[in-house]
Amino acid sequence: MKFALFTGCVAKGATRELMMATIKSAEGLGIDFVEMKSAACCGAGVISEKNPVLTDAINARTFALAEEQNLDLVTICSTCQGNLKKSEFQLDSDAEYKDKINHVLNPGGHQYRGGKIKIKHFSNILATPEGKELLRQKIKRPLTGLKTAAFYGCYVLRPSELSEYEDPDNPKELEELFEILGATPIYYPSRIKCCGFPIIMMNKEASHEMAGNALIEAVESGADCVVTGCPLCHLSLDSYQPEIENLREKQYSIPILHLPQLVALALGYSPEEIGMDKHIVSTAGLDKILAQHA
Amino acid sequence: MATFRIKRYNPEKRPDAYYEDFEYDFPEGATLLDCLNHIKWTQDGSLTYRMSCRSAICGSCGMKGNGHALLACQRQAAQLLKSGDQVITVEPLGNMPVIKDLVTDFKEFWEKVDQVKPYLQNKEKAPEQERQQSPEEFRKIDATSTCIMCGACYSDCNTLEVDKNFLGPAALAKAQRFVGDSRDHATRERIKELSKPGGMWDCTHCGECVERCPKPAEPFYRIKELMEVALNEGVTHNNGARHALSFVKSVKHSGRLNESKIPIESVGYFNIKGLLELVPVGLRMLLKLKIPPIFHKPIDDAKDVKRIFEEFGE
């Protein structure tokens, strides 16, 4: 399997451990990721607040880059995934609009043709029958005894017509992956809700309350950790967990993992190799749980 | 045979809400509302809900089916059983107090709609005939004009679940109906008002309102249109607008987000209190080496991205 890897900004910055774990997961699974080093930010739903057409143009350029490599595009961020899919929809549903955008891309030597490549989140390629089979074959250390609570990230689920998940109102893909990895999935209502990150600069308290609701539900449902496919959710749930604890006057101390970290752990990589020491909330307790069941 | 697990509440008889199961082997094509009617008429006449048109026009029968807001008359019961389960859970709309069974109190919802001044403000003398619009002008407000005020978006809004001060998707969409109206003269005043705490910038982009809206109104997209007007009108003295401007500037210059700058530029360089609030998380991330590189590295061929930004006037 070979894909064009759209890293997104955060995996190259504030959650570099996500990038480390993605590289290791791909290595362990034998997936060939070709990093799209000249692809621009997806806009994160923020550039479109100022200029929606510009957002579609920079994303059309990204799609053109993947088309030039003749590779399907893989994202490792729910926000990137959702925003790229939105632009793809806009471009593919209006030929005149696509022509207008291509006219702007032309001096840079790129043209978006459309219909040639697919845009998938890392979890989507793992959740295919081939992906699941590959995981089953490559697991070296089943995550037996680990209770994992999925946190999907809004943008991969809504709007549902652009989602790559089977039933975005009741998704099961991450939980199915957890089971294949040997972990025990924990279901809780907030797993498909917002983490609050988009308003962390605008309405901090509301943002932390949203994240806090997810954390408390996961803890009370018996989860050992929360696993997310979105680095922005990770920032909200992990980096800001002390603020949330202060606001709620409660101690959660629940580790938050990136999906590729969970995969890489099951593939036998050490926590250090996949940046688990870079988290704000310590992940040391997870090692103990895994050691107990080893 | 399907089980309808309905959330019941009647404070005159019992102080707490509870679930009651009703069995009904509904015929093919029956909507959830058809099923509720059948249960009410044949099993329990006290079951209470709002309904009227049965055609997704009046917006009365908003409720939750399997945890998500919908119009009971617009959803076939069979669709709610698609997961293979034989149980359909029916609950009242969220983010509103419940009066009885599936009937909720829309008081706050309507107060928020009123708050956005949902009427045309035109300073010119009323013409003899109607004030006309071109089809292009109307297209800007066409989507919101379809809103039937059913409350589905309000029910599932993630911000409202934690902040009752938020105007909510329906009121903000209604505001766009007038901000985008070529005949309205209060755009700037409206945008200033809508930029305050509780307004457009408190929308958390969860997309629930788009997903639940039974019409093409899709409030989140209307909120984004309000943001575009705010940024282009220069109503930018707030964190939300500064965040968007910083974001655009950063991607324009390097092709990617400068995560070190954006929090600072969002709260504003002269906002000492806001900047101080960033210190704990900043230090914490620094200690874990999670702070993005000081020298912000651009993507390859960032020049081409900058050129595209300039082509679009940014």
Side-chain angles (χ1 to χ4, degrees):
Chain A
M1 286 200 263
K2 190 174 180 181
F3 299 96
L5 177 67
F6 183 85
T7 64
C9 303
V10 187
K12 302 287 272 186
T15 63
R16 268 166 292 172
E17 71 279 3
L18 167 59
M19 196 60 200
M20 293 165 75
T22 302
I23 291 168
K24 290 294 177 199
S25 303
E27 182 187 283
L29 291 168
I31 296 176
D32 194 359
F33 275 152
V34 183
E35 189 182 331
M36 303 180 75
K37 291 190 172 167
S38 58
C41 165
C42 71
V46 179
I47 295 180
S48 54
E49 289 168 359
K50 180 82 167 70
N51 196 328
V53 187
L54 168 64
T55 308
D56 291 339
I58 55 169
N59 288 336
R61 179 179 170 280
T62 296
F63 306 151
L65 290 167
E67 284 182 343
E68 286 157 23
Q69 297 179 75
N70 208 15
L71 292 175
D72 286 341
L73 185 156
V74 167
T75 59
I76 47 173
C77 167
S78 299
T79 307
C80 294
Q81 174 68 22
N83 283 294
L84 293 180
K85 289 295 286 184
K86 264 184 202 154
S87 286
E88 183 196 38
F89 175 77
Q90 295 294 339
L91 293 158
D92 289 356
S93 54
D94 184 346
E96 208 177 306
Y97 182 59
K98 189 164 76 180
D99 284 349
K100 184 182 147 189
I101 301 274
N102 270 331
H103 185 71
V104 178
L105 298 190
N106 203 31
H110 304 293
Q111 284 290 285
Y112 170 57
R113 289 171 57 185
K116 270 186 76 182
I117 56 140
K118 292 192 174 69
I119 299 160
K120 304 261 185 192
H121 187 268
F122 187 45
S123 61
N124 300 134
I125 60 168
L126 294 179
T128 58
E130 304 80 51
K132 286 178 178 173
E133 189 45 41
L134 189 60
L135 278 176
R136 284 191 194 99
Q137 284 170 11
K138 302 282 184 179
I139 288 172
K140 287 193 180 140
R141 177 170 71 163
L143 306 175
T144 315
L146 193 66
K147 285 178 270 176
T148 47
F151 195 85
Y152 279 81
C154 301
Y155 277 97
V156 282
L157 302 172
R158 294 176 289 270
S160 54
E161 62 267 28
L162 300 183
S163 174
E164 294 288 327
Y165 290 104
E166 181 83 21
D167 180 3
D169 270 352
N170 189 21
K172 294 191 173 71
E173 282 84 346
L174 289 185
E175 286 83 357
E176 282 170 8
L177 294 177
F178 299 167
E179 281 181 343
I180 291 172
L181 299 174
T184 308
I186 297 289
Y187 290 84
Y188 63 112
S190 282
R191 70 196 182 99
I192 56 168
K193 285 193 177 177
C194 180
C195 70
F197 191 78
I199 53 168
I200 209 154
M201 290 294 145
M202 300 78 170
N203 187 343
K204 199 181 303 166
E205 200 171 310
S207 170
H208 292 340
E209 291 285 5
M210 270 183 234
N213 285 344
L215 294 175
I216 191 74
E217 278 180 25
V219 169
E220 287 179 352
S221 309
D224 300 316
C225 63
V226 172
V227 180
T228 181
C230 182
L232 301 180
C233 298
H234 193 274
L235 287 175
S236 189
L237 300 171
D238 177 66
S239 296
Y240 284 93
Q241 203 174 118
E243 272 84 359
I244 299 164
E245 289 176 333
N246 284 343
L247 181 72
R248 293 278 184 99
E249 294 178 354
K250 267 203 173 84
Q251 197 76 24
Y252 301 118
S253 306
I254 182 163
I256 316 295
L257 301 192
H258 300 282
L259 175 68
Q261 285 180 321
L262 195 78
V263 173
L265 271 182
L267 295 174
Y269 292 97
S270 71
E272 293 73 32
E273 282 177 289
I274 53 174
M276 279 169 62
D277 52 346
K278 296 204 186 311
H279 291 198
I280 298 303
V281 180
S282 169
T283 60
L286 304 182
D287 298 339
K288 279 184 205 147
I289 295 168
L290 291 173
Q292 274 169 14
H293 291 83
Chain B
M1 183 70 75
T3 302
F4 292 81
R5 185 158 295 156
I6 303 176
K7 195 168 190 184
R8 307 292 308 263
Y9 175 62
N10 181 359
E12 286 174 11
K13 297 210 165 147
R14 182 175 160 170
D16 58 327
Y18 60 97
Y19 288 88
E20 189 172 358
D21 285 359
F22 296 92
E23 307 289 324
Y24 176 37
D25 189 11
F26 60 83
E28 197 188 332
T31 63
L32 175 60
L33 182 60
D34 293 334
C35 297
L36 292 177
N37 285 339
H38 187 273
I39 291 166
K40 183 176 174 71
W41 296 336
T42 65
Q43 299 187 41
D44 185 346
S46 73
L47 179 64
T48 308
Y49 48 92
R50 290 193 180 102
M51 64 151 290
S52 181
C53 77
R54 297 180 297 166
S55 309
I57 288 294
C58 75
S60 300
C61 64
M63 59 185 69
K64 279 187 179 181
N66 292 343
H68 303 284
L70 45 72
L71 289 182
C73 71
Q74 201 188 30
R75 193 68 56 95
Q76 291 199 7
Q79 287 178 323
L80 292 164
L81 287 176
K82 67 178 172 185
S83 56
D85 202 355
Q86 285 308 300
V87 180
I88 298 174
T89 307
V90 188
E91 295 162 313
L93 292 174
N95 290 324
M96 301 181 199
V98 180
I99 298 171
K100 189 184 175 194
D101 292 344
L102 304 172
V103 176
T104 54
D105 185 352
F106 270 62
K107 185 170 173 279
E108 276 182 22
F109 174 93
W110 290 116
E111 281 171 357
K112 286 171 180 175
V113 172
D114 283 347
Q115 219 177 308
V116 305
K117 299 186 179 161
Y119 41 82
L120 196 76
Q121 295 183 59
N122 187 309
K123 290 163 192 157
E124 285 164 13
K125 197 170 158 263
E128 300 232 328
Q129 287 183 323
E130 75 274 22
R131 292 187 168 98
Q132 290 189 337
Q133 283 194 300
S134 67
E136 289 74 36
E137 286 169 336
F138 177 66
R139 225 165 279 141
K140 290 185 180 167
I141 56 170
D142 190 10
T144 340
S145 306
T146 63
C147 173
I148 54 172
M149 296 282 152
C150 65
C153 59
Y154 194 91
S155 161
D156 288 17
C157 169
N158 279 200
T159 299
L160 274 169
E161 285 176 5
V162 294
D163 186 357
K164 296 292 168 220
N165 187 43
F166 183 45
L167 279 169
L172 285 166
K174 180 59 93 179
Q176 187 277 330
R177 155 75 187 77
F178 292 96
V179 166
D181 193 318
S182 57
R183 301 159 298 186
D184 192 87
H185 290 166
T187 307
R188 205 175 162 79
E189 293 89 320
R190 289 183 190 276
I191 285 292
K192 277 188 174 170
E193 207 53 44
L194 297 165
S195 297
K196 290 179 179 169
M200 63 175 107
W201 298 107
D202 282 356
C203 164
T204 194
H205 300 201
C206 68
E208 281 287 356
C209 56
V210 170
E211 198 56 36
R212 306 307 153 206
C213 181
K215 292 283 162 183
E218 302 181 317
F220 174 41
Y221 300 149
R222 310 289 81 78
I223 294 171
K224 298 266 293 230
E225 286 164 7
L226 288 175
M227 291 170 171
E228 197 181 338
V229 176
L231 294 168
N232 293 319
E233 281 272 325
V235 182
T236 55
H237 291 295
N238 59 74
N239 288 12
R242 279 191 294 262
H243 175 263
L245 293 176
S246 172
F247 203 112
V248 171
K249 192 171 74 177
S250 164
V251 179
K252 176 184 174 181
H253 289 290
S254 62
R256 72 159 60 108
L257 182 63
N258 187 334
E259 295 171 281
S260 302
K261 260 191 184 171
I262 199 162
I264 299 167
E265 293 191 346
S266 298
V267 300
Y269 284 110
F270 303 106
N271 177 357
I272 305 297
K273 185 176 167 279
L275 290 172
L276 282 174
E277 281 175 5
L278 295 173
V279 172
V281 69
L283 275 178
R284 199 182 300 139
M285 291 177 74
L286 185 69
L287 288 172
K288 291 280 183 177
L289 305 175
K290 278 175 82 77
I291 287 282
I294 296 172
F295 298 105
H296 183 62
K297 191 172 171 283
I299 60 162
D300 291 355
D301 201 13
K303 256 202 294 193
D304 187 37
V305 173
K306 191 174 180 198
R307 180 192 62 77
I308 296 170
F309 271 70
E310 283 164 354
E311 283 273 348
F312 284 103
E314 294 298 343

